[in-house]
Amino acid sequence: MGQRLSGGRSCLDVPGRLLPQPPPPPPPVRRRLALLFAMLCVWLYLLVYSCAGSCAAAPGLLLLGSGSRAAHAPPAPGPDGPPQRLPFPAAPATQSAAGREMAEGAASQEEQSPETPDSPSPISSFFSGSGSKQLPQAIIIGVKKGGTRALLEFLRVHPDVRAVGAEPHFFDRSYDKGLAWYRDLMPRTLDGQITMEKTPSYFVTREAPARISAMSKDTKLLVVVRDPVTRAVSDYTQTLSKRPDIPSFESLAFRNRSAGLVDRSWSAIQIGLYAEHLERWLRHFPARQMLFVSGERLVRDPAGELGRVQDFLGLKRIISDKHFYFNQTKGFPCLKKAEGSGRPHCLGKTKGRPHPEIDAQVLRQLRDFYRPFNRKFYQMTGHDFGWD
């Protein structure tokens, strides 16, 4: 007898028909794969969640075999906390010296760029696999008010250049934090890309040449230089925009104007003694590793000057005339398309300020003062910048 069906019939009572049987259980392999997939999803979620707050301290956790390199050298001791912004001898304790102190303090505050580094977040870097952080192979080391921001923004158009937006001030103010801290400020790069940063105060910081050399003797250095008289007026103009009550340019520039004694202790004057600063750098780096960019030509012919820079960095000449247009209002070139944007981009409102009117006799006296220093600088660099 067959099994009884509902209604008292067995399966044998229905010729040619078989009742549906329950589905077989899934094979063990499929069950195991499903379980493994679920565990993988949970593991990934926990990993990303736990790293979100800790990868700043241990960025290597998220590289997952991306080839991140260790620092070239162990952290060396440095000054505790930010040193004085402009490491020059203090002026005599006179009313003029007090004005210089106010001027330099305001300039130093503005020197700290409000822009933020363009490094991606740890989670986005984890999913995008966007390379690894490296110590910079090239640094724009100066000079202040020479055109360093323009050079950096122009270079960032190049697809093989990745640069920090803000000034790290590592080799002058934060050296005690160590190379690992410094490297973590850098953007992620892929093979073949150059990591860069710019901090104009490095050029006049006495410790900077030895510190950068200790990081890597192969570092390429770029110095944007400008007529030191015009640069000093621009420096003063920046301070004046923050502190309208500071003394006049003339009173700050001279110890004794009637005798023609220029005050070298004022930072706006001291920075322009390019030959003296360069001597320190040449003790640690050969001249072939330094490129001196003309701030005047960067305004007059940006594509031509960027061509020299791209050659020096070993980059293909991609940045050309098609990337620039001249902004009549600001008085300098702007980018037709900025990095990561399809829109035109000019430097911020702090650039291109109109200079105050300075007595022509004062400017002549300063040109006479700088002339021997300029000529020595021309000999050291092998290039006449035409400031005389």
Side-chain angles (χ1 to χ4, degrees):
M1 295 293 293
Q3 289 183 327
R4 305 301 298 178
L5 303 176
S6 60
R9 300 174 59 189
S10 74
C11 60
L12 298 179
D13 296 333
V14 185
R17 290 182 60 188
L18 291 175
L19 291 180
Q21 300 296 317
V29 174
R30 292 175 58 188
R31 284 201 305 269
R32 289 174 183 166
L33 287 176
L35 180 61
L36 285 174
F37 179 78
M39 292 176 63
L40 179 61
C41 292
V42 173
W43 179 81
L44 285 173
Y45 173 82
L46 293 176
L47 176 65
V48 174
Y49 181 82
S50 63
C51 284
S54 62
C55 60
L61 291 176
L62 290 182
L63 298 181
L64 298 180
S66 60
S68 173
R69 302 174 197 160
H72 295 307
D80 186 16
Q84 188 174 346
R85 305 282 163 84
L86 296 166
F88 304 121
T94 64
Q95 183 176 1
S96 178
R100 279 190 290 274
E101 185 176 350
M102 288 192 303
E104 293 167 15
S108 298
Q109 289 179 6
E110 184 167 332
E111 188 182 338
Q112 294 185 359
S113 173
E115 300 177 57
T116 56
D118 52 359
S119 302
S121 68
I123 295 180
S124 64
S125 299
F126 171 77
F127 285 110
S128 63
S130 54
S132 60
K133 295 186 177 185
Q134 309 293 340
L135 292 169
Q137 295 88 39
I139 303 176
I140 301 174
I141 60 173
V143 299
K144 180 186 176 186
K145 306 309 295 180
T148 58
R149 172 58 59 182
L151 177 60
L152 182 72
E153 294 302 316
F154 294 166
L155 275 174
R156 291 173 75 177
V157 173
H158 200 292
D160 291 334
V161 171
R162 297 281 287 130
V164 182
E167 296 173 4
H169 283 282
F170 173 66
F171 294 103
D172 58 348
R173 301 179 189 172
S174 302
Y175 193 63
D176 59 312
K177 294 182 179 179
L179 286 173
W181 177 88
Y182 180 52
R183 182 180 57 194
D184 196 47
L185 298 178
M186 299 299 122
R188 296 184 182 277
T189 54
L190 303 173
D191 289 342
Q193 291 182 320
I194 292 178
T195 302
M196 291 188 65
E197 69 116 318
K198 78 106 176 171
T199 304
S201 54
Y202 289 165
F203 189 62
V204 298
T205 300
R206 293 182 177 275
E207 300 83 3
R211 290 173 174 178
I212 295 178
S213 177
M215 177 187 73
S216 173
K217 296 183 180 298
D218 297 325
T219 306
K220 293 186 176 182
L221 308 171
L222 296 99
V223 188
V224 189
V225 288
R226 182 184 185 186
D227 181 338
V229 177
T230 309
R231 197 220 66 81
V233 176
S234 180
D235 200 336
Y236 174 79
T237 302
Q238 174 176 290
T239 305
L240 187 65
S241 69
K242 291 287 187 180
R243 299 290 298 272
D245 58 337
I246 62 173
S248 67
F249 178 86
E250 293 86 343
S251 63
L252 293 171
F254 292 90
R255 290 188 183 277
N256 187 330
R257 183 182 170 189
S258 60
L261 295 178
V262 176
D263 192 349
R264 290 180 44 145
S265 66
W266 185 31
S267 64
I269 298 296
Q270 177 68 237
I271 291 173
L273 303 176
Y274 302 143
E276 291 189 354
H277 304 305
L278 180 57
E279 285 178 343
R280 290 196 297 270
W281 288 91
L282 292 177
R283 296 185 195 124
H284 299 273
F285 290 93
R288 66 177 180 276
Q289 281 179 232
M290 304 184 72
L291 181 70
F292 296 89
V293 179
S294 168
E296 288 84 8
R297 193 173 178 219
L298 201 58
V299 173
R300 186 174 63 251
D301 180 19
E305 201 67 354
L306 264 293
R308 293 180 60 236
V309 175
Q310 291 172 96
D311 292 346
F312 173 71
L313 295 176
L315 298 169
K316 182 179 179 181
R317 283 203 178 196
I318 292 179
I319 305 172
S320 63
D321 285 322
K322 68 180 182 180
H323 289 93
F324 303 98
Y325 74 95
F326 192 84
N327 186 297
Q328 296 291 343
T329 302
K330 284 187 169 290
F332 52 73
C334 301
L335 290 168
K336 291 181 180 178
K337 293 182 180 180
E339 179 197 31
S341 171
R343 294 181 296 178
H345 171 67
C346 277
L347 300 181
K349 63 181 180 179
T350 62
K351 309 299 180 182
R353 298 186 185 99
H355 291 179
E357 186 175 350
I358 307 296
D359 184 86
Q361 178 61 24
V362 170
L363 298 179
R364 281 194 295 271
Q365 287 177 296
L366 288 178
R367 293 196 185 283
D368 291 341
F369 167 76
Y370 276 119
R371 186 169 292 110
F373 297 100
N374 290 344
R375 290 178 177 174
K376 184 177 181 181
F377 184 67
Y378 299 164
Q379 293 175 350
M380 296 172 74
T381 61
H383 182 76
D384 186 339
F385 290 89
W387 297 325
D388 301 321

